[in-house]
Amino acid sequence: MATKLRRLDKPGLDKVLEAHGRFLAKTSGGLRAQLPLHNLSSLNLDQRDFSEASFAGSSFQFSSLRGTAFKSADLFGCDFSVANLEGASMVGADMRGSILRGAVLIGADLHNADLREGRLSSSSDSFGKRTKTDLSNIQATNSNLSGASMVGANIENSDFSGSTIIKSDLTSVSARGANMSHVRMNQTLLIGADFSGAQFQSTDLSGADMRDCNFTGTDMRDANLDGADLSGAMLKGALLQGAMLSNAVLNKTDLQGAVIEDSVLSSSQISAA
């Protein structure tokens, strides 16, 4: 049975937000915003400061949240579908099981955010159901997800071009058709991820752990794979012209049909692949 969300009227919401502002400022009358399971959809909440607030299970569908701060906020299982989060800050936020399908996150900062699966996914799901975080079809160009944990998340057909995703955990993500071009992803974990048909042009993947990944049909032209571990990865039909593969580990890597320039691979790499 779907969980019914509570909708505050404008005076009630303004009162909560005013008290939360005083809480952040550490002034008299301050009270941390506690709005779990609330309907906050289709609202203009630009430039608000919701840092440390609790919104677990709430819905922000279609809301405008440009430049809004959710630093260290509890966003567990929240629904941000088609919301505008351009320039928003979600640094250190708990976003497990959240839905951001179709959202705009251009220039957003999700540094150290927790985007793993969770037991509460959205207003339409029941408690106790473990659901993967949905970041599919989002616009997240020039965003910052360094240090973020996105294990098992769905980022299919999303645009992260120009973003910074350093030392993050993208183990087992589903990222078919994603645009990861010009992204800094050095030392990131990508073990078992599916990036088939994705774009990685001029992306820095140096030192990344890419074991057992699926890169079938991926465009990795001019990518930096120096020191990356591609053991057991599948790169069938991948475009690797201009890619830097020096010191890359290619143990049992499937390069069948991959387009790669002559003399790029050492003899030891060729024998290991």
Side-chain angles (χ1 to χ4, degrees):
M1 183 177 179
T3 303
K4 186 175 181 179
L5 302 184
R6 181 184 177 190
R7 183 85 175 191
L8 287 179
D9 57 19
K10 190 176 185 304
L13 181 59
D14 288 343
K15 183 177 180 180
V16 171
L17 299 182
E18 182 181 351
H20 186 69
R22 291 196 293 269
F23 163 77
L24 293 175
K26 294 181 172 57
T27 58
S28 178
L31 186 65
R32 180 175 179 239
Q34 301 272 359
L35 294 172
L37 297 174
H38 275 70
N39 182 356
L40 299 164
S41 59
S42 302
L43 295 176
N44 186 335
L45 297 168
D46 291 344
Q47 303 296 329
R48 301 280 188 149
D49 193 346
F50 295 138
S51 299
E52 302 180 40
S54 176
F55 295 104
S58 293
S59 174
F60 290 90
Q61 290 184 17
F62 303 102
S63 287
S64 183
L65 298 154
R66 293 175 298 177
T68 295
F70 288 98
K71 296 177 182 178
S72 301
D74 182 0
L75 304 175
F76 193 98
C78 284
D79 191 344
F80 290 96
S81 297
V82 203
N84 189 344
L85 288 151
E86 184 172 357
S89 176
M90 295 172 160
V91 176
D94 184 351
M95 302 179 69
R96 288 173 295 165
S98 58
I99 295 177
L100 293 100
R101 188 184 307 117
V104 175
L105 289 104
I106 298 171
D109 190 352
L110 288 86
H111 186 80
N112 289 331
D114 190 345
L115 292 153
R116 296 171 297 168
E117 65 181 9
R119 290 191 179 277
L120 171 63
S121 175
S122 74
S123 59
S124 59
D125 287 323
S126 299
F127 285 97
K129 181 180 180 181
R130 185 173 290 278
T131 307
K132 294 180 179 180
T133 300
D134 190 346
L135 291 144
S136 60
N137 296 289
I138 66 172
Q139 293 292 322
T141 56
N142 301 310
S143 58
N144 182 8
L145 288 107
S146 293
S149 180
M150 302 168 67
V151 178
N154 178 6
I155 61 173
E156 293 181 5
N157 300 310
S158 290
D159 188 355
F160 291 95
S161 57
S163 296
T164 302
I165 313 178
I166 296 174
K167 294 184 178 179
S168 302
D169 192 348
L170 278 71
T171 299
S172 301
V173 297
S174 180
R176 291 185 291 271
N179 186 353
M180 313 298 290
S181 298
H182 301 278
V183 176
R184 296 172 61 197
M185 299 182 71
N186 38 307
Q187 300 182 58
T188 287
L189 296 178
L190 302 166
I191 302 170
D194 184 358
F195 283 99
S196 53
Q199 300 176 56
F200 282 90
Q201 300 98 314
S202 301
T203 293
D204 186 356
L205 288 155
S206 57
D209 192 338
M210 305 159 72
R211 288 174 293 164
D212 301 316
C213 283
N214 183 2
F215 292 108
T216 301
T218 297
D219 188 344
M220 305 180 82
R221 289 175 292 175
D222 299 313
N224 182 3
L225 295 159
D226 183 26
D229 189 347
L230 287 150
S231 299
M234 183 179 296
L235 286 89
K236 287 184 177 180
L239 302 179
L240 291 159
Q241 300 99 315
M244 184 183 296
L245 288 158
S246 56
N247 302 313
V249 179
L250 301 174
N251 184 33
K252 296 183 179 179
T253 302
D254 190 344
L255 293 165
Q256 182 179 351
V259 181
I260 187 168
E261 294 176 346
D262 294 338
S263 303
V264 171
L265 300 180
S266 66
S267 57
S268 60
Q269 286 177 316
I270 293 173
S271 61

